[in-house]
Amino acid sequence: ETGVTQTPRHLVMGMTNKKSLKCEQHLGHNAMYWYKQSAKKPLELMFVYSLEERVENNSVPSRFSPECPNSSHLFLHLHTLQPEDSALYLCASSLRTEPSYEQYFGPGTRLTVT
Amino acid sequence: GQNIDQPTEMTATEGAIVQINCTYQTSGFNGLFWYQQHAGEAPTFLSYNVLDGLEEKGRFSSFLSRSKGYSYLLLKELQMKDSASYLCAVRDSNYQLIWGAGTKLIIKP
C-alpha cells in the first residue's frame, strides 16, 4: 500500500465513548500531522510530530490525545468528545518540517459525535 | 492576527480559463502552497511558490507577489474533473502553515 492511509473512514461515537483514529504513511517521511477540517473553515493544525517527537500542540483540548509510536504511525485518541468536535480529521506527512516540503494527506476520518 | 482570504465559490465553463486569488497577511513569509481537494477526498499538492513570479505546471500556473501579499492559481482548458476546492496556505516566520478556507470551483459544461 502506498501514500497515507487512515482508518476508520467514518466514525460515529457518543460523548462518553473512547475511540482512536489511526494513520499510517508508507512514504518514508519523518514528520506527521493531525488536522481538523470543518465545513467552510480553514484547516486547523492540531499536532505535529517530527521524528516521533511532538513539536507542536496548538491549544487542542485534552480530550484529544495524540500518539506517535514510530515515524510511520500516528494515532489520535478520543474521549468524552463534544458535538462541536464533529468534523473531518486529516492526517498528513512530509519528508521534513522545513518550509518547502509539501504535505501528503490521507483521505480523512469523518467523525460524528452524537 | 494572521489571515488568508480566498473567494468562497467560483463558477467557470468547461474549456475556459479561471483565476483563483489568494491574499494573505501573515507574520513573515516562507512560501505559499496551493492544494486541490475533491469532495470527500484528501487535499493534494499542486504548487509551491517562494519567489515572486509565475510557476507553470501543465494546465495549472501559480503566481506570487510577496510585496502585495498576493497569489493566484490559474487553471487553463478547464475540465469537469477540475471541479474541486482549491486551498491556499502560507508558511509564516515560525514555519507554521496558515490555511485559507478554500475556494469551491464549479465547472459547467
Side-chain angles (χ1 to χ4, degrees):
Chain A
E1 200 158 6
T2 59
V4 182
T5 58
Q6 289 186 244
T7 55
R9 294 294 308 276
H10 300 272
L11 178 62
V12 179
M13 59 186 288
M15 289 191 284
T16 58
N17 292 159
K18 286 185 181 181
K19 295 285 185 185
S20 295
L21 310 185
K22 180 183 176 182
C23 175
E24 187 172 357
Q25 58 97 359
H26 309 268
L27 300 167
H29 288 170
N30 292 319
M32 296 188 77
Y33 311 78
W34 278 117
Y35 285 93
K36 176 183 179 183
Q37 187 175 37
S38 303
K40 299 185 180 179
K41 287 187 177 179
L43 282 172
E44 298 174 47
L45 179 65
M46 299 175 74
F47 302 104
V48 181
Y49 277 82
S50 178
L51 296 171
E52 300 147 47
E53 284 193 28
R54 190 190 308 180
V55 296
E56 223 168 301
N57 174 357
N58 284 354
S59 303
V60 179
S62 59
R63 57 186 184 268
F64 295 92
S65 174
E67 179 190 359
C68 187
N70 55 62
S71 59
S72 298
H73 293 87
L74 186 65
F75 294 89
L76 189 63
H77 304 299
L78 316 171
H79 66 97
T80 58
L81 294 191
Q82 305 297 311
E84 60 265 29
D85 297 323
S86 297
L88 181 68
Y89 287 85
L90 290 165
C91 173
S93 70
S94 62
L95 185 59
R96 296 169 64 168
T97 55
E98 278 81 352
S100 64
Y101 291 99
E102 69 266 28
Q103 294 178 12
Y104 292 77
F105 286 82
T109 296
R110 174 68 62 185
L111 174 67
T112 304
V113 181
T114 61
Chain B
Q2 309 208 82
N3 197 46
I4 308 283
D5 285 314
Q6 310 178 230
T8 303
E9 186 173 299
M10 298 181 71
T11 302
T13 305
E14 191 176 14
I17 299 173
V18 71
Q19 177 175 311
I20 302 174
N21 295 326
C22 170
T23 57
Y24 61 90
Q25 301 90 38
T26 56
S27 55
F29 179 84
N30 276 301
L32 184 144
F33 293 85
W34 283 97
Y35 282 80
Q36 180 191 60
Q37 186 177 24
H38 285 101
E41 296 184 15
T44 55
F45 169 77
L46 288 177
S47 66
Y48 172 71
N49 294 69
V50 66
L51 299 176
D52 290 350
L54 188 69
E55 296 270 348
E56 296 187 71
K57 199 184 284 187
R59 293 189 299 114
F60 292 10
S61 303
S62 56
F63 172 83
L64 174 68
S65 169
R66 288 172 295 171
S67 61
K68 295 182 179 177
Y70 167 70
S71 172
Y72 66 73
L73 182 69
L74 191 72
L75 291 74
K76 302 177 185 175
E77 301 168 17
L78 285 170
Q79 302 175 10
M80 297 304 292
K81 67 178 182 179
D82 297 329
S83 292
S85 287
Y86 291 86
L87 312 179
C88 173
V90 172
R91 209 178 275 283
D92 68 10
S93 56
N94 294 320
Y95 299 145
Q96 280 216 30
L97 258 186
I98 313 300
W99 292 83
T103 298
K104 183 178 180 180
L105 178 63
I106 299 168
I107 310 296
K108 295 187 174 178

